[in-house]
Amino acid sequence: MKSLLAALALFLSAAYAYACPDEHERWTVYYGHALGAEAFKDFNVVVLDATYDAPVAALKAQGKTVLGYLSLGEAEDYRPYYKKLKEQKLLLEANPEWKGHFIIDIRKPEWGKIVAEELIPEITAKGFDGIMFDTIDSPLHLAIQKKDKYAGMNEAAVKLLCDIRKAHPNIKLMLNRGFDVLTQAAPCIDMVLAESTRTDLQLSGSKKPKRVSDEDYQWYVGKLKEAQAANPSLKVYSLDYWPMKDTKGVARIYTEQRANGFIPYVS
């Protein structure tokens, strides 16, 4: 399943966030290129698309942690490295939800080498403190759908993340979701992005956000707590979607996520 994070660039152009009390840590994600450093003055952690000329130096000068986006489980056909992955036969099936997005065979060591030796150095060379890994769920879900054909994805995901940690021990690593492997991978990452755990933005139908059932939310919370038990220093940053005009609804999400010790952002 393609992460909803890729859609954020469509509606984060004003970097709106609920006005949280200053004593709380705050974070945001922005995939556009129109905003300068001043737009992020109220945030402690900022995730940006490294493709653009982001104001990384200015943000770091303000003491912020700045992470660059990297799709770990999918390759978009507009990325510079897409052709190389296609030539090396590292691409599997197309993501039906996102045109031009192809799921990567993370079991192949060639992909891990490209990530560790090429893609991450390109991002950190721009001054980023670390990486936010997206789309790891895509190959994991593909393995669930076609067990015989794509067996071994879970083990490969954990190995990939831990190999990256070994290759880059001094940068910050954030993983979006990956709940099927999160506990095993937790010792190899610093942060987890718990996207769409309290509310979810639907890609089809009405495309309106809805609250996740209490049962499902508690399942997510349990998985996140398990991961924190495996890595006590692991920080959880939640990302949920809700209409900003419903201030009570937005405030409720912040309260619920903070009650579990998470660092929330509502878009």
Side-chain angles (χ1 to χ4, degrees), residues 65-99:
T65 298
V66 190
L67 305 179
Y69 175 95
L70 180 58
S71 180
L72 196 60
E74 292 185 9
E76 306 96 327
D77 59 9
Y78 59 84
R79 297 289 182 184
Y81 52 86
Y82 170 80
K83 183 178 180 181
K84 180 176 183 177
L85 301 191
K86 187 175 181 180
E87 291 174 347
Q88 293 190 15
K89 301 186 184 304
L90 298 180
L91 303 179
L92 298 173
E93 303 181 12
N95 184 330
E97 297 288 346
W98 295 87
K99 185 178 180 180

PDB file of all heavy atoms in Angstrom, residues 65-99:
ATOM      1  N   THR A  65      16.024  19.292  13.749  1.00  0.00           N
ATOM      2  CA  THR A  65      16.429  18.061  13.092  1.00  0.00           C
ATOM      3  C   THR A  65      15.723  18.000  11.753  1.00  0.00           C
ATOM      4  O   THR A  65      14.490  18.090  11.692  1.00  0.00           O
ATOM      5  CB  THR A  65      16.052  16.830  13.938  1.00  0.00           C
ATOM      6  OG1 THR A  65      16.752  16.880  15.187  1.00  0.00           O
ATOM      7  CG2 THR A  65      16.415  15.543  13.212  1.00  0.00           C
ATOM      8  N   VAL A  66      16.487  17.847  10.679  1.00  0.00           N
ATOM      9  CA  VAL A  66      15.921  17.869   9.332  1.00  0.00           C
ATOM     10  C   VAL A  66      16.192  16.531   8.640  1.00  0.00           C
ATOM     11  O   VAL A  66      17.346  16.115   8.494  1.00  0.00           O
ATOM     12  CB  VAL A  66      16.515  19.017   8.498  1.00  0.00           C
ATOM     13  CG1 VAL A  66      15.733  19.171   7.190  1.00  0.00           C
ATOM     14  CG2 VAL A  66      16.485  20.329   9.274  1.00  0.00           C
ATOM     15  N   LEU A  67      15.132  15.870   8.227  1.00  0.00           N
ATOM     16  CA  LEU A  67      15.235  14.565   7.583  1.00  0.00           C
ATOM     17  C   LEU A  67      14.820  14.656   6.120  1.00  0.00           C
ATOM     18  O   LEU A  67      13.892  15.389   5.770  1.00  0.00           O
ATOM     19  CB  LEU A  67      14.340  13.545   8.293  1.00  0.00           C
ATOM     20  CG  LEU A  67      14.545  13.373   9.801  1.00  0.00           C
ATOM     21  CD1 LEU A  67      13.565  12.342  10.347  1.00  0.00           C
ATOM     22  CD2 LEU A  67      15.983  12.967  10.111  1.00  0.00           C
ATOM     23  N   GLY A  68      15.496  13.895   5.263  1.00  0.00           N
ATOM     24  CA  GLY A  68      15.168  13.851   3.847  1.00  0.00           C
ATOM     25  C   GLY A  68      14.360  12.616   3.515  1.00  0.00           C
ATOM     26  O   GLY A  68      14.637  11.518   4.000  1.00  0.00           O
ATOM     27  N   TYR A  69      13.362  12.792   2.674  1.00  0.00           N
ATOM     28  CA  TYR A  69      12.473  11.702   2.265  1.00  0.00           C
ATOM     29  C   TYR A  69      13.173  10.731   1.316  1.00  0.00           C
ATOM     30  O   TYR A  69      13.883  11.144   0.406  1.00  0.00           O
ATOM     31  CB  TYR A  69      11.245  12.289   1.560  1.00  0.00           C
ATOM     32  CG  TYR A  69      10.302  11.259   0.969  1.00  0.00           C
ATOM     33  CD1 TYR A  69       9.198  10.821   1.688  1.00  0.00           C
ATOM     34  CD2 TYR A  69      10.505  10.740  -0.311  1.00  0.00           C
ATOM     35  CE1 TYR A  69       8.315   9.884   1.147  1.00  0.00           C
ATOM     36  CE2 TYR A  69       9.635   9.800  -0.855  1.00  0.00           C
ATOM     37  CZ  TYR A  69       8.550   9.375  -0.126  1.00  0.00           C
ATOM     38  OH  TYR A  69       7.687   8.463  -0.655  1.00  0.00           O
ATOM     39  N   LEU A  70      12.947   9.420   1.543  1.00  0.00           N
ATOM     40  CA  LEU A  70      13.432   8.401   0.622  1.00  0.00           C
ATOM     41  C   LEU A  70      12.440   7.245   0.595  1.00  0.00           C
ATOM     42  O   LEU A  70      12.129   6.657   1.630  1.00  0.00           O
ATOM     43  CB  LEU A  70      14.815   7.893   1.047  1.00  0.00           C
ATOM     44  CG  LEU A  70      15.444   6.804   0.167  1.00  0.00           C
ATOM     45  CD1 LEU A  70      15.575   7.265  -1.266  1.00  0.00           C
ATOM     46  CD2 LEU A  70      16.805   6.380   0.721  1.00  0.00           C
ATOM     47  N   SER A  71      11.950   6.926  -0.578  1.00  0.00           N
ATOM     48  CA  SER A  71      11.020   5.816  -0.739  1.00  0.00           C
ATOM     49  C   SER A  71      11.815   4.520  -0.754  1.00  0.00           C
ATOM     50  O   SER A  71      12.597   4.275  -1.675  1.00  0.00           O
ATOM     51  CB  SER A  71      10.228   5.984  -2.042  1.00  0.00           C
ATOM     52  OG  SER A  71       9.317   4.924  -2.209  1.00  0.00           O
ATOM     53  N   LEU A  72      11.611   3.691   0.245  1.00  0.00           N
ATOM     54  CA  LEU A  72      12.417   2.481   0.406  1.00  0.00           C
ATOM     55  C   LEU A  72      11.783   1.257  -0.241  1.00  0.00           C
ATOM     56  O   LEU A  72      12.483   0.310  -0.586  1.00  0.00           O
ATOM     57  CB  LEU A  72      12.645   2.204   1.897  1.00  0.00           C
ATOM     58  CG  LEU A  72      13.748   1.215   2.270  1.00  0.00           C
ATOM     59  CD1 LEU A  72      15.106   1.694   1.762  1.00  0.00           C
ATOM     60  CD2 LEU A  72      13.800   1.003   3.783  1.00  0.00           C
ATOM     61  N   GLY A  73      10.460   1.282  -0.408  1.00  0.00           N
ATOM     62  CA  GLY A  73       9.770   0.105  -0.948  1.00  0.00           C
ATOM     63  C   GLY A  73       9.210   0.296  -2.330  1.00  0.00           C
ATOM     64  O   GLY A  73       8.721  -0.653  -2.947  1.00  0.00           O
ATOM     65  N   GLU A  74       9.265   1.526  -2.847  1.00  0.00           N
ATOM     66  CA  GLU A  74       8.757   1.816  -4.183  1.00  0.00           C
ATOM     67  C   GLU A  74       9.702   2.761  -4.906  1.00  0.00           C
ATOM     68  O   GLU A  74      10.425   3.541  -4.280  1.00  0.00           O
ATOM     69  CB  GLU A  74       7.370   2.471  -4.128  1.00  0.00           C
ATOM     70  CG  GLU A  74       6.269   1.567  -3.641  1.00  0.00           C
ATOM     71  CD  GLU A  74       4.906   2.241  -3.734  1.00  0.00           C
ATOM     72  OE1 GLU A  74       4.822   3.333  -4.338  1.00  0.00           O
ATOM     73  OE2 GLU A  74       3.935   1.686  -3.212  1.00  0.00           O
ATOM     74  N   ALA A  75       9.649   2.712  -6.234  1.00  0.00           N
ATOM     75  CA  ALA A  75      10.391   3.658  -7.064  1.00  0.00           C
ATOM     76  C   ALA A  75       9.405   4.381  -7.959  1.00  0.00           C
ATOM     77  O   ALA A  75       8.611   3.734  -8.659  1.00  0.00           O
ATOM     78  CB  ALA A  75      11.441   2.938  -7.903  1.00  0.00           C
ATOM     79  N   GLU A  76       9.433   5.706  -7.916  1.00  0.00           N
ATOM     80  CA  GLU A  76       8.583   6.490  -8.793  1.00  0.00           C
ATOM     81  C   GLU A  76       9.304   6.691 -10.119  1.00  0.00           C
ATOM     82  O   GLU A  76      10.518   6.868 -10.154  1.00  0.00           O
ATOM     83  CB  GLU A  76       8.278   7.848  -8.166  1.00  0.00           C
ATOM     84  CG  GLU A  76       7.697   7.751  -6.752  1.00  0.00           C
ATOM     85  CD  GLU A  76       8.739   7.910  -5.660  1.00  0.00           C
ATOM     86  OE1 GLU A  76       9.904   7.479  -5.884  1.00  0.00           O
ATOM     87  OE2 GLU A  76       8.414   8.466  -4.600  1.00  0.00           O
ATOM     88  N   ASP A  77       8.554   6.671 -11.221  1.00  0.00           N
ATOM     89  CA  ASP A  77       9.207   6.720 -12.536  1.00  0.00           C
ATOM     90  C   ASP A  77       9.848   8.064 -12.859  1.00  0.00           C
ATOM     91  O   ASP A  77      10.535   8.198 -13.869  1.00  0.00           O
ATOM     92  CB  ASP A  77       8.231   6.312 -13.642  1.00  0.00           C
ATOM     93  CG  ASP A  77       6.993   7.184 -13.711  1.00  0.00           C
ATOM     94  OD1 ASP A  77       6.948   8.223 -13.026  1.00  0.00           O
ATOM     95  OD2 ASP A  77       6.053   6.819 -14.458  1.00  0.00           O
ATOM     96  N   TYR A  78       9.641   9.061 -11.990  1.00  0.00           N
ATOM     97  CA  TYR A  78      10.286  10.354 -12.215  1.00  0.00           C
ATOM     98  C   TYR A  78      11.587  10.508 -11.424  1.00  0.00           C
ATOM     99  O   TYR A  78      12.297  11.507 -11.578  1.00  0.00           O
ATOM    100  CB  TYR A  78       9.332  11.503 -11.866  1.00  0.00           C
ATOM    101  CG  TYR A  78       8.842  11.508 -10.441  1.00  0.00           C
ATOM    102  CD1 TYR A  78       9.600  12.074  -9.415  1.00  0.00           C
ATOM    103  CD2 TYR A  78       7.608  10.939 -10.113  1.00  0.00           C
ATOM    104  CE1 TYR A  78       9.159  12.064  -8.103  1.00  0.00           C
ATOM    105  CE2 TYR A  78       7.157  10.928  -8.800  1.00  0.00           C
ATOM    106  CZ  TYR A  78       7.921  11.497  -7.809  1.00  0.00           C
ATOM    107  OH  TYR A  78       7.471  11.486  -6.507  1.00  0.00           O
ATOM    108  N   ARG A  79      11.923   9.539 -10.604  1.00  0.00           N
ATOM    109  CA  ARG A  79      13.161   9.621  -9.843  1.00  0.00           C
ATOM    110  C   ARG A  79      14.363   9.330 -10.756  1.00  0.00           C
ATOM    111  O   ARG A  79      14.265   8.488 -11.661  1.00  0.00           O
ATOM    112  CB  ARG A  79      13.150   8.624  -8.685  1.00  0.00           C
ATOM    113  CG  ARG A  79      12.071   8.860  -7.638  1.00  0.00           C
ATOM    114  CD  ARG A  79      12.345  10.094  -6.803  1.00  0.00           C
ATOM    115  NE  ARG A  79      11.314  10.280  -5.777  1.00  0.00           N
ATOM    116  CZ  ARG A  79      11.259  11.321  -4.958  1.00  0.00           C
ATOM    117  NH1 ARG A  79      12.197  12.266  -5.031  1.00  0.00           N
ATOM    118  NH2 ARG A  79      10.304  11.430  -4.064  1.00  0.00           N
ATOM    119  N   PRO A  80      15.486  10.004 -10.525  1.00  0.00           N
ATOM    120  CA  PRO A  80      16.664   9.814 -11.390  1.00  0.00           C
ATOM    121  C   PRO A  80      17.160   8.369 -11.441  1.00  0.00           C
ATOM    122  O   PRO A  80      17.736   7.946 -12.436  1.00  0.00           O
ATOM    123  CB  PRO A  80      17.719  10.734 -10.761  1.00  0.00           C
ATOM    124  CG  PRO A  80      16.936  11.755 -10.015  1.00  0.00           C
ATOM    125  CD  PRO A  80      15.717  11.040  -9.506  1.00  0.00           C
ATOM    126  N   TYR A  81      16.955   7.615 -10.369  1.00  0.00           N
ATOM    127  CA  TYR A  81      17.478   6.260 -10.302  1.00  0.00           C
ATOM    128  C   TYR A  81      16.501   5.203 -10.804  1.00  0.00           C
ATOM    129  O   TYR A  81      16.809   4.008 -10.809  1.00  0.00           O
ATOM    130  CB  TYR A  81      17.897   5.923  -8.873  1.00  0.00           C
ATOM    131  CG  TYR A  81      16.831   6.188  -7.826  1.00  0.00           C
ATOM    132  CD1 TYR A  81      15.854   5.236  -7.526  1.00  0.00           C
ATOM    133  CD2 TYR A  81      16.795   7.394  -7.129  1.00  0.00           C
ATOM    134  CE1 TYR A  81      14.877   5.478  -6.568  1.00  0.00           C
ATOM    135  CE2 TYR A  81      15.831   7.647  -6.175  1.00  0.00           C
ATOM    136  CZ  TYR A  81      14.871   6.692  -5.894  1.00  0.00           C
ATOM    137  OH  TYR A  81      13.906   6.934  -4.952  1.00  0.00           O
ATOM    138  N   TYR A  82      15.319   5.623 -11.232  1.00  0.00           N
ATOM    139  CA  TYR A  82      14.290   4.667 -11.675  1.00  0.00           C
ATOM    140  C   TYR A  82      14.801   3.786 -12.823  1.00  0.00           C
ATOM    141  O   TYR A  82      14.639   2.557 -12.808  1.00  0.00           O
ATOM    142  CB  TYR A  82      13.031   5.409 -12.092  1.00  0.00           C
ATOM    143  CG  TYR A  82      12.021   4.529 -12.791  1.00  0.00           C
ATOM    144  CD1 TYR A  82      11.175   3.689 -12.068  1.00  0.00           C
ATOM    145  CD2 TYR A  82      11.930   4.518 -14.188  1.00  0.00           C
ATOM    146  CE1 TYR A  82      10.263   2.866 -12.709  1.00  0.00           C
ATOM    147  CE2 TYR A  82      11.023   3.696 -14.831  1.00  0.00           C
ATOM    148  CZ  TYR A  82      10.198   2.875 -14.096  1.00  0.00           C
ATOM    149  OH  TYR A  82       9.294   2.062 -14.747  1.00  0.00           O
ATOM    150  N   LYS A  83      15.401   4.405 -13.819  1.00  0.00           N
ATOM    151  CA  LYS A  83      15.867   3.661 -14.993  1.00  0.00           C
ATOM    152  C   LYS A  83      16.881   2.594 -14.592  1.00  0.00           C
ATOM    153  O   LYS A  83      16.856   1.467 -15.102  1.00  0.00           O
ATOM    154  CB  LYS A  83      16.475   4.625 -16.007  1.00  0.00           C
ATOM    155  CG  LYS A  83      16.913   3.953 -17.299  1.00  0.00           C
ATOM    156  CD  LYS A  83      17.463   4.974 -18.285  1.00  0.00           C
ATOM    157  CE  LYS A  83      17.909   4.297 -19.580  1.00  0.00           C
ATOM    158  NZ  LYS A  83      18.465   5.285 -20.545  1.00  0.00           N
ATOM    159  N   LYS A  84      17.756   2.941 -13.658  1.00  0.00           N
ATOM    160  CA  LYS A  84      18.768   1.997 -13.209  1.00  0.00           C
ATOM    161  C   LYS A  84      18.123   0.787 -12.538  1.00  0.00           C
ATOM    162  O   LYS A  84      18.545  -0.362 -12.777  1.00  0.00           O
ATOM    163  CB  LYS A  84      19.724   2.688 -12.230  1.00  0.00           C
ATOM    164  CG  LYS A  84      20.830   1.805 -11.698  1.00  0.00           C
ATOM    165  CD  LYS A  84      21.785   2.601 -10.810  1.00  0.00           C
ATOM    166  CE  LYS A  84      22.936   1.755 -10.327  1.00  0.00           C
ATOM    167  NZ  LYS A  84      23.903   2.540  -9.513  1.00  0.00           N
ATOM    168  N   LEU A  85      17.110   1.019 -11.717  1.00  0.00           N
ATOM    169  CA  LEU A  85      16.433  -0.088 -11.044  1.00  0.00           C
ATOM    170  C   LEU A  85      15.714  -0.981 -12.052  1.00  0.00           C
ATOM    171  O   LEU A  85      15.699  -2.210 -11.905  1.00  0.00           O
ATOM    172  CB  LEU A  85      15.429   0.447 -10.025  1.00  0.00           C
ATOM    173  CG  LEU A  85      15.970   1.336  -8.908  1.00  0.00           C
ATOM    174  CD1 LEU A  85      14.897   1.544  -7.839  1.00  0.00           C
ATOM    175  CD2 LEU A  85      17.216   0.749  -8.284  1.00  0.00           C
ATOM    176  N   LYS A  86      15.148  -0.351 -13.059  1.00  0.00           N
ATOM    177  CA  LYS A  86      14.449  -1.123 -14.090  1.00  0.00           C
ATOM    178  C   LYS A  86      15.431  -1.982 -14.868  1.00  0.00           C
ATOM    179  O   LYS A  86      15.163  -3.161 -15.142  1.00  0.00           O
ATOM    180  CB  LYS A  86      13.700  -0.181 -15.030  1.00  0.00           C
ATOM    181  CG  LYS A  86      12.813  -0.895 -16.042  1.00  0.00           C
ATOM    182  CD  LYS A  86      12.014   0.096 -16.870  1.00  0.00           C
ATOM    183  CE  LYS A  86      11.104  -0.631 -17.853  1.00  0.00           C
ATOM    184  NZ  LYS A  86      10.303   0.340 -18.667  1.00  0.00           N
ATOM    185  N   GLU A  87      16.572  -1.418 -15.220  1.00  0.00           N
ATOM    186  CA  GLU A  87      17.590  -2.162 -15.972  1.00  0.00           C
ATOM    187  C   GLU A  87      18.145  -3.325 -15.164  1.00  0.00           C
ATOM    188  O   GLU A  87      18.463  -4.381 -15.718  1.00  0.00           O
ATOM    189  CB  GLU A  87      18.724  -1.221 -16.382  1.00  0.00           C
ATOM    190  CG  GLU A  87      18.320  -0.195 -17.439  1.00  0.00           C
ATOM    191  CD  GLU A  87      19.420   0.812 -17.721  1.00  0.00           C
ATOM    192  OE1 GLU A  87      20.394   0.860 -16.916  1.00  0.00           O
ATOM    193  OE2 GLU A  87      19.309   1.557 -18.708  1.00  0.00           O
ATOM    194  N   GLN A  88      18.249  -3.154 -13.843  1.00  0.00           N
ATOM    195  CA  GLN A  88      18.778  -4.215 -12.989  1.00  0.00           C
ATOM    196  C   GLN A  88      17.691  -5.187 -12.526  1.00  0.00           C
ATOM    197  O   GLN A  88      17.950  -6.059 -11.699  1.00  0.00           O
ATOM    198  CB  GLN A  88      19.474  -3.590 -11.778  1.00  0.00           C
ATOM    199  CG  GLN A  88      20.729  -2.813 -12.137  1.00  0.00           C
ATOM    200  CD  GLN A  88      21.543  -2.416 -10.912  1.00  0.00           C
ATOM    201  OE1 GLN A  88      21.343  -2.922  -9.814  1.00  0.00           O
ATOM    202  NE2 GLN A  88      22.486  -1.509 -11.101  1.00  0.00           N
ATOM    203  N   LYS A  89      16.481  -5.012 -13.066  1.00  0.00           N
ATOM    204  CA  LYS A  89      15.350  -5.902 -12.762  1.00  0.00           C
ATOM    205  C   LYS A  89      15.053  -5.956 -11.264  1.00  0.00           C
ATOM    206  O   LYS A  89      14.823  -7.022 -10.685  1.00  0.00           O
ATOM    207  CB  LYS A  89      15.612  -7.308 -13.308  1.00  0.00           C
ATOM    208  CG  LYS A  89      15.844  -7.342 -14.817  1.00  0.00           C
ATOM    209  CD  LYS A  89      15.948  -8.754 -15.338  1.00  0.00           C
ATOM    210  CE  LYS A  89      16.273  -8.769 -16.829  1.00  0.00           C
ATOM    211  NZ  LYS A  89      15.306  -8.004 -17.646  1.00  0.00           N
ATOM    212  N   LEU A  90      15.068  -4.787 -10.638  1.00  0.00           N
ATOM    213  CA  LEU A  90      14.766  -4.688  -9.214  1.00  0.00           C
ATOM    214  C   LEU A  90      13.311  -4.300  -8.958  1.00  0.00           C
ATOM    215  O   LEU A  90      12.890  -4.229  -7.799  1.00  0.00           O
ATOM    216  CB  LEU A  90      15.689  -3.644  -8.558  1.00  0.00           C
ATOM    217  CG  LEU A  90      17.186  -3.952  -8.607  1.00  0.00           C
ATOM    218  CD1 LEU A  90      17.978  -2.833  -7.928  1.00  0.00           C
ATOM    219  CD2 LEU A  90      17.486  -5.283  -7.939  1.00  0.00           C
ATOM    220  N   LEU A  91      12.554  -4.069 -10.026  1.00  0.00           N
ATOM    221  CA  LEU A  91      11.163  -3.645  -9.878  1.00  0.00           C
ATOM    222  C   LEU A  91      10.227  -4.832 -10.058  1.00  0.00           C
ATOM    223  O   LEU A  91      10.432  -5.675 -10.940  1.00  0.00           O
ATOM    224  CB  LEU A  91      10.831  -2.551 -10.892  1.00  0.00           C
ATOM    225  CG  LEU A  91      11.723  -1.301 -10.829  1.00  0.00           C
ATOM    226  CD1 LEU A  91      11.287  -0.307 -11.902  1.00  0.00           C
ATOM    227  CD2 LEU A  91      11.672  -0.673  -9.452  1.00  0.00           C
ATOM    228  N   LEU A  92       9.209  -4.874  -9.235  1.00  0.00           N
ATOM    229  CA  LEU A  92       8.229  -5.955  -9.286  1.00  0.00           C
ATOM    230  C   LEU A  92       6.947  -5.449  -9.970  1.00  0.00           C
ATOM    231  O   LEU A  92       6.960  -5.148 -11.143  1.00  0.00           O
ATOM    232  CB  LEU A  92       7.956  -6.473  -7.867  1.00  0.00           C
ATOM    233  CG  LEU A  92       9.186  -7.060  -7.162  1.00  0.00           C
ATOM    234  CD1 LEU A  92       8.874  -7.390  -5.709  1.00  0.00           C
ATOM    235  CD2 LEU A  92       9.690  -8.287  -7.897  1.00  0.00           C
ATOM    236  N   GLU A  93       5.896  -5.288  -9.220  1.00  0.00           N
ATOM    237  CA  GLU A  93       4.620  -4.882  -9.792  1.00  0.00           C
ATOM    238  C   GLU A  93       4.357  -3.396  -9.582  1.00  0.00           C
ATOM    239  O   GLU A  93       4.908  -2.776  -8.674  1.00  0.00           O
ATOM    240  CB  GLU A  93       3.488  -5.708  -9.163  1.00  0.00           C
ATOM    241  CG  GLU A  93       3.661  -7.204  -9.333  1.00  0.00           C
ATOM    242  CD  GLU A  93       2.516  -7.995  -8.716  1.00  0.00           C
ATOM    243  OE1 GLU A  93       1.493  -7.379  -8.371  1.00  0.00           O
ATOM    244  OE2 GLU A  93       2.659  -9.216  -8.595  1.00  0.00           O
ATOM    245  N   ALA A  94       3.495  -2.855 -10.428  1.00  0.00           N
ATOM    246  CA  ALA A  94       3.087  -1.465 -10.280  1.00  0.00           C
ATOM    247  C   ALA A  94       2.124  -1.340  -9.113  1.00  0.00           C
ATOM    248  O   ALA A  94       1.364  -2.266  -8.810  1.00  0.00           O
ATOM    249  CB  ALA A  94       2.417  -0.974 -11.557  1.00  0.00           C
ATOM    250  N   ASN A  95       2.172  -0.218  -8.414  1.00  0.00           N
ATOM    251  CA  ASN A  95       1.210   0.056  -7.358  1.00  0.00           C
ATOM    252  C   ASN A  95      -0.068   0.558  -8.029  1.00  0.00           C
ATOM    253  O   ASN A  95      -0.052   1.623  -8.645  1.00  0.00           O
ATOM    254  CB  ASN A  95       1.758   1.127  -6.409  1.00  0.00           C
ATOM    255  CG  ASN A  95       0.836   1.379  -5.232  1.00  0.00           C
ATOM    256  OD1 ASN A  95      -0.387   1.233  -5.323  1.00  0.00           O
ATOM    257  ND2 ASN A  95       1.403   1.774  -4.110  1.00  0.00           N
ATOM    258  N   PRO A  96      -1.173  -0.179  -7.916  1.00  0.00           N
ATOM    259  CA  PRO A  96      -2.405   0.218  -8.612  1.00  0.00           C
ATOM    260  C   PRO A  96      -3.005   1.509  -8.094  1.00  0.00           C
ATOM    261  O   PRO A  96      -3.799   2.150  -8.795  1.00  0.00           O
ATOM    262  CB  PRO A  96      -3.338  -0.974  -8.363  1.00  0.00           C
ATOM    263  CG  PRO A  96      -2.834  -1.599  -7.093  1.00  0.00           C
ATOM    264  CD  PRO A  96      -1.348  -1.423  -7.146  1.00  0.00           C
ATOM    265  N   GLU A  97      -2.630   1.934  -6.904  1.00  0.00           N
ATOM    266  CA  GLU A  97      -3.185   3.156  -6.316  1.00  0.00           C
ATOM    267  C   GLU A  97      -2.457   4.410  -6.789  1.00  0.00           C
ATOM    268  O   GLU A  97      -2.991   5.513  -6.692  1.00  0.00           O
ATOM    269  CB  GLU A  97      -3.130   3.078  -4.787  1.00  0.00           C
ATOM    270  CG  GLU A  97      -3.955   1.967  -4.172  1.00  0.00           C
ATOM    271  CD  GLU A  97      -5.447   2.240  -4.244  1.00  0.00           C
ATOM    272  OE1 GLU A  97      -5.826   3.397  -4.535  1.00  0.00           O
ATOM    273  OE2 GLU A  97      -6.233   1.303  -4.022  1.00  0.00           O
ATOM    274  N   TRP A  98      -1.226   4.234  -7.262  1.00  0.00           N
ATOM    275  CA  TRP A  98      -0.405   5.385  -7.622  1.00  0.00           C
ATOM    276  C   TRP A  98       0.245   5.152  -8.980  1.00  0.00           C
ATOM    277  O   TRP A  98       1.149   4.337  -9.111  1.00  0.00           O
ATOM    278  CB  TRP A  98       0.679   5.631  -6.559  1.00  0.00           C
ATOM    279  CG  TRP A  98       0.126   6.030  -5.228  1.00  0.00           C
ATOM    280  CD1 TRP A  98      -0.283   5.191  -4.223  1.00  0.00           C
ATOM    281  CD2 TRP A  98      -0.096   7.357  -4.757  1.00  0.00           C
ATOM    282  NE1 TRP A  98      -0.739   5.917  -3.166  1.00  0.00           N
ATOM    283  CE2 TRP A  98      -0.634   7.254  -3.450  1.00  0.00           C
ATOM    284  CE3 TRP A  98       0.130   8.624  -5.301  1.00  0.00           C
ATOM    285  CZ2 TRP A  98      -0.958   8.371  -2.698  1.00  0.00           C
ATOM    286  CZ3 TRP A  98      -0.195   9.739  -4.543  1.00  0.00           C
ATOM    287  CH2 TRP A  98      -0.733   9.608  -3.257  1.00  0.00           C
ATOM    288  N   LYS A  99      -0.184   5.884  -9.973  1.00  0.00           N
ATOM    289  CA  LYS A  99       0.348   5.740 -11.324  1.00  0.00           C
ATOM    290  C   LYS A  99       1.832   6.102 -11.353  1.00  0.00           C
ATOM    291  O   LYS A  99       2.254   7.116 -10.806  1.00  0.00           O
ATOM    292  CB  LYS A  99      -0.419   6.646 -12.295  1.00  0.00           C
ATOM    293  CG  LYS A  99      -0.001   6.475 -13.749  1.00  0.00           C
ATOM    294  CD  LYS A  99      -0.823   7.358 -14.667  1.00  0.00           C
ATOM    295  CE  LYS A  99      -0.397   7.192 -16.120  1.00  0.00           C
ATOM    296  NZ  LYS A  99      -1.203   8.057 -17.027  1.00  0.00           N
TER     297      LYS A  99
END
